[in-house]
């Protein structure tokens, strides 16, 4: 999971050209893009706990049993 602002989100490029998509292609691993355009450090901190829970649930149960973050 990548976490960040508009650069992570991929603002200004196609979804396939965002850096999380490119990272997924290069590593051949699923990469979840949790970027939000306009994100601030404070906003990121507020989302971090929820994202951590998502990652832990994903690791324990697998992708198909997880609700979106």
């Amino acid at each position: 999971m990548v976490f960040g602002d508009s650069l992570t989100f991929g603002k200004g490029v196609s979804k396939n050209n965002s850096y999380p998509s490119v990272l997924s292609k290069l590593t051949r691993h699923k990469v979840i893009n949790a970027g939000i355009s306009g994100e601030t450090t404070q906003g990121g901190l507020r989302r971090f706990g929820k994202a951590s829970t998502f990652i832990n649930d994903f690791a324990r149960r697998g992708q198909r049993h997880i609700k979106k973050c």
Side-chain angles (χ1 to χ4, degrees):
M1 176 181 280
V2 292
F3 199 76
D5 59 10
S6 56
L7 295 175
T8 303
F9 176 77
K11 186 169 177 97
V13 298
S14 69
K15 185 176 179 178
N16 290 335
N17 288 320
S18 67
Y19 93 76
S21 292
V22 172
L23 179 63
S24 180
K25 291 173 198 166
L26 291 172
T27 62
R28 296 184 183 152
H29 290 282
K30 181 171 180 71
V31 175
I32 298 168
N33 185 345
I36 293 179
S37 187
E39 181 72 288
T40 63
T41 301
Q42 289 295 326
L45 288 171
R46 283 192 296 271
R47 287 194 311 131
F48 189 75
K50 192 173 185 180
S52 296
T53 300
F54 177 87
I55 293 167
N56 289 334
D57 287 348
F58 184 87
R60 275 197 311 266
R61 298 185 220 169
Q63 177 183 359
R64 64 191 140 150
H65 298 289
I66 305 301
K67 295 177 183 173
K68 281 203 161 193
C69 187

